[in-house]
Amino acid sequence: MSAMKTIRACNDFVIKFANVNGSGSASANELFARAIMNMGVPVAPRNIFPSNIQGMPTWYEMRVSADGWLGRRGGCDLMVAMNPQTWDRDIAELASGGYLVYDSTKTLPRSRFREDITVLGVPLTEICNREYTDPRQRQLFKNIMYVGALTALLDMDLTVVEKLIADQYRGKDKLIGANVNALKLGYDYAKASHSCPIGLRIERSDGVGDRIFINGNDACGLGAVYGGATVAAWYPITPSTSVIEAFSGYCRKFRTDPDNGKARYAVVQAEDELASIGMVIGAAWNGARAFTATSGPGISLMQEFFGLAYFAEVPVVVFNVQRGGPSTGMPTRTQQSDLIACAYASHGDTRHVLLFPQDPYECFTFGAQAFDLADRLQTPVFVLLDLDIGMNDRLCQPFDWDDQRRYDRGKVMSAEELEAGKNFGRYLDVDGDGIAYRTIPGTHPSKGAFFSRGTTRNAYAKYSEAGTDYIYNMERLRRKFETAKTFLPAPVLQRAAQPARFGAIYYGSTSPAMAEASALLATQGLHVDTLRVRSFPFADEVIDFIYAHDGVFVVEQNESGQLRMLLINEGEVDPKRLLRVLHYDGTPITASFISGKIAEALALRKVKATSLAEPLMTPTRKKVAS
């Protein structure tokens, strides 16, 4: 063992905790992640939890990256193995030369370990049984104790962890003292029994800066408040439930009348997803900014109501926190699997506006913007994130808000305009942009729109089955869809260091891995331009990007290549131009996966690194008449 080559790294490694669900480990693991960040070192944690009851295995993976990479790296350099059920699997996952921390109260035979790792035993159960009598305390403080041991093993500042505990239990001195005592028990044991630090170390840095640490679901909830939402109707479903919980919490703080304590908002837990979207449409029709939060199965159930909102042109917002499919699928695993389901939701010729946030900052900004877009365009707007963004805390830039900003309610006619006799047709295209004027019910006692229908009608909302009226309405909706492009978040282009013949398109939660993958490819002399798509319908720049390259890799987390399908269908792109890079095992995509697939595809095309810098001779995009 003494001659074994061990991993040595400072501020650049992966720690993984193997725990039992319901043991209270999650808060201890997050405490440890925050301690590293408070030492100025960027951390990207991910909670890997089961879709079942207490007592089942759960993992918490934490990437420490001095360079600030926030994507999942894959692999593990230090394993904290606290679950006997998954012992063999956890030990196998450790990289050669890695480190194993485990509860050594019970002696294990040498055969249960590997010869190429460093084993660091801490008798956590023995110490807890000696120090505490309450069974629950023994379990909870065992978690804090291994945090203390890690603090010593990684040469971290113990006072940083102590301060976090004091902040967490402010006003509860007994809990502060008890937790700090457990922390020191683990710290002192590691110091006395092991050579500290080990080959992995945390050193103070300034890599975090002013960034905040928050998950996407909380950010969406706050964005909805800032976006002016006053009504939410929902049915609980993993992994979107915490969007509503966050919204409710922020509303209690910001939407409660300070004089009488009454709520100036409504949050309704409906009997099912169908009822929830129906309530949202009803509230929005009556002038409220309303939304629901759901996941793939909820999207499936809401299809017909989406058609009603689309054709009646009711502004609603839907937060879809995507998960593994199909059907109930893998509810605690991440995928980007609902693009097609949302883009063309419902029967008939429907096309919906989609937003693709990449991190909690954009969850907040897009979450707020979605309500302006829904009102301006008078249509459903889907904000598509996924479990990786939604439920995992992530570093991002601080949220900002312009206090001078005013809500864009779109084309809403006032009582004065109606009284003056201004021509009003609920579905009349006055300006040529496909967007008609609307009224809020009750604006005028006898004029304006008081009800609508999802079936066919003419421009004045009168029932009609005439083919000409139907064609007029569908062509107007097509114009509105084109108009939507001018209001949506633009794609983000990143040029390679050298002229590149190939490009890559990506979106949402693949962003941190794609950024790192580009850097990895560049070290191999493979230069690829990248374009992050942030919305649908696609801006013209997206299709232009495709035609500016010999080939474009489309990176996404689903099996069928749904973004690629949309690009082919909506942009009328030759499918051969779009090369699939698909990841769909339920874990977040990694930079090594992306760069490996791209490098492999380029090699098959006999593209050498040096040739990627040659001048481009590619066909230009041809405009296709509609």
Side-chain angles (χ1 to χ4, degrees):
M1 296 287 285
S2 60
M4 179 186 66
K5 185 176 181 180
T6 58
I7 297 173
R8 308 190 68 81
C10 179
N11 295 353
D12 188 12
F13 50 87
V14 173
I15 308 172
K16 193 165 185 177
F17 299 82
N19 297 106
V20 176
N21 195 31
S23 64
S25 59
S27 59
N29 298 339
E30 183 180 330
L31 174 75
F32 186 65
R34 289 182 180 275
I36 296 175
M37 282 188 295
N38 281 15
M39 290 185 65
V41 182
V43 172
R46 285 173 170 82
N47 194 12
I48 307 165
F49 59 98
S51 59
N52 43 36
I53 60 174
Q54 180 173 318
M56 299 301 290
T58 183
W59 292 268
Y60 190 88
E61 186 177 279
M62 186 185 307
R63 182 179 185 181
V64 181
S65 173
D67 292 328
W69 299 122
L70 300 179
R72 181 171 175 262
R73 193 201 73 181
C76 173
D77 305 309
L78 192 161
M79 175 69 72
V80 182
M82 299 296 293
N83 188 355
Q85 289 179 301
T86 60
W87 176 271
D88 292 335
R89 171 181 173 180
D90 298 331
I91 299 297
E93 192 173 341
L94 258 175
S96 181
Y99 303 84
L100 170 70
V101 175
Y102 80 109
D103 184 352
S104 59
T105 299
K106 181 180 177 181
T107 302
L108 296 176
R110 188 182 182 89
S111 60
R112 298 301 304 276
F113 301 99
R114 284 167 43 189
E115 294 292 332
D116 62 339
I117 61 174
T118 298
V119 178
L120 304 161
V122 182
L124 299 167
T125 302
E126 178 185 319
I127 297 172
C128 282
N129 289 344
R130 183 183 70 225
E131 298 289 331
Y132 309 104
T133 57
D134 180 80
R136 185 59 177 164
Q137 282 188 330
R138 287 175 172 175
Q139 177 58 60
L140 294 176
F141 288 137
K142 185 189 296 185
N143 301 322
I144 299 299
M145 222 172 282
Y146 69 62
V147 169
L150 290 172
T151 303
L153 293 168
L154 299 178
D155 198 25
M156 293 172 59
D157 187 344
L158 185 65
T159 62
V160 171
V161 191
E162 290 175 335
K163 185 179 185 305
L164 281 172
I165 291 173
D167 291 342
Q168 183 173 332
Y169 297 108
R170 183 176 287 113
K172 302 176 181 178
D173 292 344
K174 287 186 178 180
L175 288 176
I176 294 173
N179 278 273
V180 169
N181 179 63
L183 179 77
K184 289 183 175 178
L185 286 171
Y187 183 89
D188 292 342
Y189 182 89
K191 279 283 190 180
S193 305
H194 298 293
S195 179
C196 298
I198 57 176
L200 306 177
R201 293 180 61 249
I202 299 293
E203 187 177 272
R204 279 193 179 274
S205 180
D206 58 358
V208 174
D210 65 349
R211 285 182 291 178
I212 62 174
F213 192 54
I214 188 172
N215 65 64
N217 283 359
D218 283 357
C220 285
L222 184 60
V225 172
Y226 272 78
T230 56
V231 176
W234 66 300
Y235 184 76
I237 182 171
T238 301
S240 70
T241 296
S242 56
V243 173
I244 302 295
E245 292 172 344
F247 177 73
S248 299
Y250 290 126
C251 280
R252 285 193 293 272
K253 183 175 181 180
F254 298 117
R255 293 207 188 288
T256 300
D257 193 304
D259 297 324
N260 57 30
K262 290 185 177 180
R264 296 184 292 192
Y265 63 93
V267 177
V268 182
Q269 180 177 330
E271 62 267 33
D272 55 32
E273 286 88 353
L274 285 171
S276 67
I277 189 62
M279 292 175 186
V280 167
I281 293 171
W285 170 253
N286 281 280
R289 288 194 156 185
F291 76 97
T292 191
T294 189
S295 191
I299 294 294
S300 297
L301 291 171
M302 297 176 185
Q303 292 287 308
E304 188 170 3
F305 263 129
F306 290 145
L308 172 63
Y310 179 80
F311 287 110
E313 297 180 65
V314 182
V316 300
V317 172
V318 180
F319 291 96
N320 178 8
V321 189
Q322 300 167 94
R323 69 191 207 188
S327 186
T328 54
M330 299 189 290
T332 59
R333 299 293 183 265
T334 195
Q335 277 190 18
Q336 296 172 314
S337 53
D338 298 340
L339 268 72
I340 298 298
C342 291
Y344 304 120
S346 197
H347 55 278
D349 292 316
T350 56
R351 287 192 295 181
H352 299 291
V353 172
L354 312 180
L355 301 178
F356 308 124
Q358 71 162 345
D359 62 5
Y361 175 81
E362 287 192 345
C363 286
F364 170 75
T365 55
F366 289 8
Q369 185 183 7
F371 292 92
D372 276 355
L373 290 170
D375 272 351
R376 165 53 61 180
L377 300 169
Q378 299 175 33
T379 197
V381 173
F382 293 78
V383 183
L384 268 65
L385 55 159
D386 56 41
L387 184 146
D388 186 32
I389 299 175
M391 296 195 71
N392 289 315
D393 288 331
R394 186 174 298 183
L395 285 169
C396 68
Q397 68 185 88
F399 300 164
D400 48 44
W401 186 261
D402 182 1
D403 288 334
Q404 302 303 312
R405 176 174 170 178
R406 294 294 177 264
Y407 298 139
D408 181 358
R409 297 308 304 260
K411 298 181 178 181
V412 180
M413 291 185 68
S414 66
E416 290 75 19
E417 290 172 316
L418 290 169
E419 186 62 34
K422 186 171 182 179
N423 185 29
F424 174 70
R426 176 62 189 94
Y427 301 107
L428 189 65
D429 187 3
V430 176
D431 303 318
D433 59 3
I435 305 172
Y437 283 83
R438 65 183 176 121
T439 60
I440 305 300
T443 296
H444 190 282
S446 61
K447 298 179 179 180
F450 287 83
F451 69 94
S452 185
R453 60 175 79 246
T455 52
T456 53
R457 67 285 164 122
N458 64 18
Y460 291 88
K462 293 182 179 180
Y463 179 77
S464 170
E465 293 187 21
T468 53
D469 287 334
Y470 182 78
I471 291 172
Y472 165 82
N473 196 53
M474 296 308 298
E475 290 182 346
R476 181 182 59 80
L477 289 171
R478 183 195 302 166
R479 286 196 298 276
K480 183 168 75 169
F481 198 67
E482 285 297 311
T483 299
K485 295 178 182 180
T486 63
F487 296 104
L488 299 181
V492 178
L493 172 65
Q494 185 69 46
R495 291 287 185 191
Q498 298 183 33
R501 285 173 47 201
F502 287 83
I505 288 178
Y506 64 102
Y507 63 105
S509 63
T510 60
S511 296
M514 187 68 238
E516 186 178 1
S518 295
L520 287 173
L521 288 166
T523 63
Q524 304 172 45
L526 302 176
H527 300 282
V528 177
D529 294 331
T530 63
L531 187 76
R532 179 164 70 89
V533 175
R534 299 200 295 167
S535 57
F536 173 79
F538 302 122
D540 290 343
E541 298 96 305
V542 176
I543 309 304
D544 291 340
F545 178 86
I546 295 171
Y547 278 92
H549 296 86
D550 289 353
V552 172
F553 298 94
V554 184
V555 181
E556 49 188 321
Q557 298 191 94
N558 57 66
E559 186 275 335
S560 51
Q562 295 183 27
L563 179 63
R564 182 177 178 272
M565 289 184 197
L566 283 178
L567 290 167
I568 293 168
N569 191 50
E570 298 294 329
E572 299 185 344
V573 177
D574 181 353
K576 294 179 181 179
R577 285 184 166 273
L578 301 178
L579 313 173
R580 299 177 181 87
V581 178
L582 305 177
H583 184 272
Y584 46 90
D585 67 359
T587 63
I589 196 169
T590 64
S592 59
F593 178 88
I594 297 172
S595 60
K597 290 293 184 181
I598 291 177
E600 179 183 340
L602 294 177
L604 287 174
R605 287 161 176 76
K606 303 187 184 304
V607 177
K608 296 181 180 180
T610 53
S611 68
L612 290 176
E614 294 174 358
L616 302 182
M617 295 294 291
T618 54
T620 57
R621 176 189 176 195
K622 295 180 180 179
K623 298 289 185 179
V624 179
S626 59

PDB file of all heavy atoms in Angstrom, residues 533-550:
ATOM      1  N   VAL A 533     -29.090  27.633 -27.978  1.00  0.00           N
ATOM      2  CA  VAL A 533     -30.464  28.009 -28.307  1.00  0.00           C
ATOM      3  C   VAL A 533     -31.205  28.297 -27.003  1.00  0.00           C
ATOM      4  O   VAL A 533     -31.168  27.491 -26.069  1.00  0.00           O
ATOM      5  CB  VAL A 533     -31.158  26.884 -29.089  1.00  0.00           C
ATOM      6  CG1 VAL A 533     -32.625  27.211 -29.320  1.00  0.00           C
ATOM      7  CG2 VAL A 533     -30.456  26.653 -30.421  1.00  0.00           C
ATOM      8  N   ARG A 534     -31.879  29.436 -26.939  1.00  0.00           N
ATOM      9  CA  ARG A 534     -32.572  29.820 -25.708  1.00  0.00           C
ATOM     10  C   ARG A 534     -34.084  29.884 -25.842  1.00  0.00           C
ATOM     11  O   ARG A 534     -34.772  30.103 -24.838  1.00  0.00           O
ATOM     12  CB  ARG A 534     -32.038  31.165 -25.207  1.00  0.00           C
ATOM     13  CG  ARG A 534     -30.546  31.143 -24.880  1.00  0.00           C
ATOM     14  CD  ARG A 534     -30.160  32.292 -23.967  1.00  0.00           C
ATOM     15  NE  ARG A 534     -30.335  33.587 -24.614  1.00  0.00           N
ATOM     16  CZ  ARG A 534     -30.300  34.756 -23.961  1.00  0.00           C
ATOM     17  NH1 ARG A 534     -30.129  34.768 -22.650  1.00  0.00           N
ATOM     18  NH2 ARG A 534     -30.431  35.892 -24.622  1.00  0.00           N
ATOM     19  N   SER A 535     -34.586  29.688 -27.063  1.00  0.00           N
ATOM     20  CA  SER A 535     -36.033  29.796 -27.235  1.00  0.00           C
ATOM     21  C   SER A 535     -36.480  29.151 -28.541  1.00  0.00           C
ATOM     22  O   SER A 535     -35.675  28.890 -29.438  1.00  0.00           O
ATOM     23  CB  SER A 535     -36.460  31.269 -27.214  1.00  0.00           C
ATOM     24  OG  SER A 535     -35.781  32.005 -28.221  1.00  0.00           O
ATOM     25  N   PHE A 536     -37.768  28.901 -28.600  1.00  0.00           N
ATOM     26  CA  PHE A 536     -38.437  28.397 -29.799  1.00  0.00           C
ATOM     27  C   PHE A 536     -39.733  29.176 -29.952  1.00  0.00           C
ATOM     28  O   PHE A 536     -40.432  29.361 -28.959  1.00  0.00           O
ATOM     29  CB  PHE A 536     -38.721  26.896 -29.654  1.00  0.00           C
ATOM     30  CG  PHE A 536     -39.561  26.297 -30.750  1.00  0.00           C
ATOM     31  CD1 PHE A 536     -38.993  25.975 -31.968  1.00  0.00           C
ATOM     32  CD2 PHE A 536     -40.925  26.082 -30.571  1.00  0.00           C
ATOM     33  CE1 PHE A 536     -39.762  25.428 -32.986  1.00  0.00           C
ATOM     34  CE2 PHE A 536     -41.706  25.539 -31.581  1.00  0.00           C
ATOM     35  CZ  PHE A 536     -41.121  25.203 -32.787  1.00  0.00           C
ATOM     36  N   PRO A 537     -40.099  29.723 -31.130  1.00  0.00           N
ATOM     37  CA  PRO A 537     -39.525  29.456 -32.448  1.00  0.00           C
ATOM     38  C   PRO A 537     -38.090  29.967 -32.574  1.00  0.00           C
ATOM     39  O   PRO A 537     -37.710  30.943 -31.939  1.00  0.00           O
ATOM     40  CB  PRO A 537     -40.463  30.208 -33.398  1.00  0.00           C
ATOM     41  CG  PRO A 537     -41.074  31.282 -32.558  1.00  0.00           C
ATOM     42  CD  PRO A 537     -41.225  30.684 -31.205  1.00  0.00           C
ATOM     43  N   PHE A 538     -37.335  29.278 -33.430  1.00  0.00           N
ATOM     44  CA  PHE A 538     -35.921  29.585 -33.577  1.00  0.00           C
ATOM     45  C   PHE A 538     -35.712  30.910 -34.313  1.00  0.00           C
ATOM     46  O   PHE A 538     -36.365  31.188 -35.315  1.00  0.00           O
ATOM     47  CB  PHE A 538     -35.216  28.473 -34.356  1.00  0.00           C
ATOM     48  CG  PHE A 538     -35.340  27.119 -33.732  1.00  0.00           C
ATOM     49  CD1 PHE A 538     -35.906  26.062 -34.440  1.00  0.00           C
ATOM     50  CD2 PHE A 538     -34.905  26.892 -32.427  1.00  0.00           C
ATOM     51  CE1 PHE A 538     -36.025  24.797 -33.868  1.00  0.00           C
ATOM     52  CE2 PHE A 538     -35.017  25.636 -31.853  1.00  0.00           C
ATOM     53  CZ  PHE A 538     -35.583  24.592 -32.567  1.00  0.00           C
ATOM     54  N   ALA A 539     -34.771  31.685 -33.797  1.00  0.00           N
ATOM     55  CA  ALA A 539     -34.360  32.894 -34.502  1.00  0.00           C
ATOM     56  C   ALA A 539     -33.679  32.508 -35.817  1.00  0.00           C
ATOM     57  O   ALA A 539     -33.131  31.407 -35.954  1.00  0.00           O
ATOM     58  CB  ALA A 539     -33.398  33.703 -33.626  1.00  0.00           C
ATOM     59  N   ASP A 540     -33.691  33.424 -36.784  1.00  0.00           N
ATOM     60  CA  ASP A 540     -33.056  33.150 -38.075  1.00  0.00           C
ATOM     61  C   ASP A 540     -31.573  32.814 -37.912  1.00  0.00           C
ATOM     62  O   ASP A 540     -31.013  32.042 -38.698  1.00  0.00           O
ATOM     63  CB  ASP A 540     -33.208  34.361 -39.001  1.00  0.00           C
ATOM     64  CG  ASP A 540     -34.645  34.562 -39.463  1.00  0.00           C
ATOM     65  OD1 ASP A 540     -35.447  33.614 -39.339  1.00  0.00           O
ATOM     66  OD2 ASP A 540     -34.958  35.664 -39.934  1.00  0.00           O
ATOM     67  N   GLU A 541     -30.945  33.386 -36.866  1.00  0.00           N
ATOM     68  CA  GLU A 541     -29.514  33.132 -36.648  1.00  0.00           C
ATOM     69  C   GLU A 541     -29.212  31.656 -36.420  1.00  0.00           C
ATOM     70  O   GLU A 541     -28.112  31.189 -36.701  1.00  0.00           O
ATOM     71  CB  GLU A 541     -29.005  33.937 -35.452  1.00  0.00           C
ATOM     72  CG  GLU A 541     -29.106  35.441 -35.612  1.00  0.00           C
ATOM     73  CD  GLU A 541     -30.356  35.994 -34.980  1.00  0.00           C
ATOM     74  OE1 GLU A 541     -31.460  35.521 -35.327  1.00  0.00           O
ATOM     75  OE2 GLU A 541     -30.235  36.890 -34.138  1.00  0.00           O
ATOM     76  N   VAL A 542     -30.191  30.930 -35.875  1.00  0.00           N
ATOM     77  CA  VAL A 542     -29.969  29.507 -35.607  1.00  0.00           C
ATOM     78  C   VAL A 542     -29.808  28.740 -36.916  1.00  0.00           C
ATOM     79  O   VAL A 542     -28.880  27.935 -37.078  1.00  0.00           O
ATOM     80  CB  VAL A 542     -31.131  28.930 -34.773  1.00  0.00           C
ATOM     81  CG1 VAL A 542     -30.951  27.422 -34.575  1.00  0.00           C
ATOM     82  CG2 VAL A 542     -31.222  29.635 -33.417  1.00  0.00           C
ATOM     83  N   ILE A 543     -30.705  28.979 -37.859  1.00  0.00           N
ATOM     84  CA  ILE A 543     -30.624  28.280 -39.146  1.00  0.00           C
ATOM     85  C   ILE A 543     -29.407  28.758 -39.928  1.00  0.00           C
ATOM     86  O   ILE A 543     -28.727  27.970 -40.598  1.00  0.00           O
ATOM     87  CB  ILE A 543     -31.917  28.482 -39.949  1.00  0.00           C
ATOM     88  CG1 ILE A 543     -33.147  28.143 -39.074  1.00  0.00           C
ATOM     89  CG2 ILE A 543     -31.906  27.614 -41.201  1.00  0.00           C
ATOM     90  CD1 ILE A 543     -33.133  26.756 -38.466  1.00  0.00           C
ATOM     91  N   ASP A 544     -29.108  30.055 -39.850  1.00  0.00           N
ATOM     92  CA  ASP A 544     -27.923  30.580 -40.523  1.00  0.00           C
ATOM     93  C   ASP A 544     -26.651  29.916 -39.995  1.00  0.00           C
ATOM     94  O   ASP A 544     -25.724  29.619 -40.760  1.00  0.00           O
ATOM     95  CB  ASP A 544     -27.824  32.097 -40.323  1.00  0.00           C
ATOM     96  CG  ASP A 544     -28.914  32.855 -41.071  1.00  0.00           C
ATOM     97  OD1 ASP A 544     -29.487  32.278 -42.015  1.00  0.00           O
ATOM     98  OD2 ASP A 544     -29.198  34.010 -40.701  1.00  0.00           O
ATOM     99  N   PHE A 545     -26.604  29.681 -38.680  1.00  0.00           N
ATOM    100  CA  PHE A 545     -25.451  29.013 -38.068  1.00  0.00           C
ATOM    101  C   PHE A 545     -25.250  27.628 -38.660  1.00  0.00           C
ATOM    102  O   PHE A 545     -24.125  27.210 -38.955  1.00  0.00           O
ATOM    103  CB  PHE A 545     -25.656  28.935 -36.553  1.00  0.00           C
ATOM    104  CG  PHE A 545     -24.571  28.228 -35.805  1.00  0.00           C
ATOM    105  CD1 PHE A 545     -23.448  28.905 -35.384  1.00  0.00           C
ATOM    106  CD2 PHE A 545     -24.685  26.866 -35.498  1.00  0.00           C
ATOM    107  CE1 PHE A 545     -22.436  28.257 -34.674  1.00  0.00           C
ATOM    108  CE2 PHE A 545     -23.688  26.209 -34.798  1.00  0.00           C
ATOM    109  CZ  PHE A 545     -22.563  26.910 -34.385  1.00  0.00           C
ATOM    110  N   ILE A 546     -26.354  26.910 -38.859  1.00  0.00           N
ATOM    111  CA  ILE A 546     -26.258  25.555 -39.414  1.00  0.00           C
ATOM    112  C   ILE A 546     -25.673  25.592 -40.824  1.00  0.00           C
ATOM    113  O   ILE A 546     -24.772  24.812 -41.180  1.00  0.00           O
ATOM    114  CB  ILE A 546     -27.643  24.880 -39.412  1.00  0.00           C
ATOM    115  CG1 ILE A 546     -28.128  24.670 -37.968  1.00  0.00           C
ATOM    116  CG2 ILE A 546     -27.606  23.551 -40.169  1.00  0.00           C
ATOM    117  CD1 ILE A 546     -29.565  24.216 -37.856  1.00  0.00           C
ATOM    118  N   TYR A 547     -26.141  26.531 -41.647  1.00  0.00           N
ATOM    119  CA  TYR A 547     -25.682  26.600 -43.032  1.00  0.00           C
ATOM    120  C   TYR A 547     -24.290  27.198 -43.163  1.00  0.00           C
ATOM    121  O   TYR A 547     -23.677  27.125 -44.233  1.00  0.00           O
ATOM    122  CB  TYR A 547     -26.689  27.378 -43.880  1.00  0.00           C
ATOM    123  CG  TYR A 547     -27.848  26.526 -44.317  1.00  0.00           C
ATOM    124  CD1 TYR A 547     -29.005  26.467 -43.552  1.00  0.00           C
ATOM    125  CD2 TYR A 547     -27.769  25.749 -45.467  1.00  0.00           C
ATOM    126  CE1 TYR A 547     -30.075  25.658 -43.936  1.00  0.00           C
ATOM    127  CE2 TYR A 547     -28.823  24.944 -45.859  1.00  0.00           C
ATOM    128  CZ  TYR A 547     -29.967  24.903 -45.085  1.00  0.00           C
ATOM    129  OH  TYR A 547     -31.012  24.082 -45.467  1.00  0.00           O
ATOM    130  N   ALA A 548     -23.771  27.763 -42.093  1.00  0.00           N
ATOM    131  CA  ALA A 548     -22.417  28.324 -42.125  1.00  0.00           C
ATOM    132  C   ALA A 548     -21.355  27.277 -41.827  1.00  0.00           C
ATOM    133  O   ALA A 548     -20.163  27.596 -41.819  1.00  0.00           O
ATOM    134  CB  ALA A 548     -22.306  29.472 -41.120  1.00  0.00           C
ATOM    135  N   HIS A 549     -21.773  26.023 -41.568  1.00  0.00           N
ATOM    136  CA  HIS A 549     -20.817  24.975 -41.217  1.00  0.00           C
ATOM    137  C   HIS A 549     -21.057  23.726 -42.053  1.00  0.00           C
ATOM    138  O   HIS A 549     -22.170  23.478 -42.523  1.00  0.00           O
ATOM    139  CB  HIS A 549     -20.930  24.638 -39.722  1.00  0.00           C
ATOM    140  CG  HIS A 549     -20.552  25.781 -38.818  1.00  0.00           C
ATOM    141  ND1 HIS A 549     -21.450  26.749 -38.446  1.00  0.00           N
ATOM    142  CD2 HIS A 549     -19.362  26.096 -38.238  1.00  0.00           C
ATOM    143  CE1 HIS A 549     -20.837  27.632 -37.661  1.00  0.00           C
ATOM    144  NE2 HIS A 549     -19.579  27.260 -37.520  1.00  0.00           N
ATOM    145  N   ASP A 550     -19.997  22.949 -42.211  1.00  0.00           N
ATOM    146  CA  ASP A 550     -20.121  21.680 -42.944  1.00  0.00           C
ATOM    147  C   ASP A 550     -21.036  20.708 -42.214  1.00  0.00           C
ATOM    148  O   ASP A 550     -21.721  19.890 -42.827  1.00  0.00           O
ATOM    149  CB  ASP A 550     -18.745  21.030 -43.111  1.00  0.00           C
ATOM    150  CG  ASP A 550     -17.871  21.783 -44.102  1.00  0.00           C
ATOM    151  OD1 ASP A 550     -18.393  22.712 -44.750  1.00  0.00           O
ATOM    152  OD2 ASP A 550     -16.680  21.458 -44.212  1.00  0.00           O
TER     153      ASP A 550
END
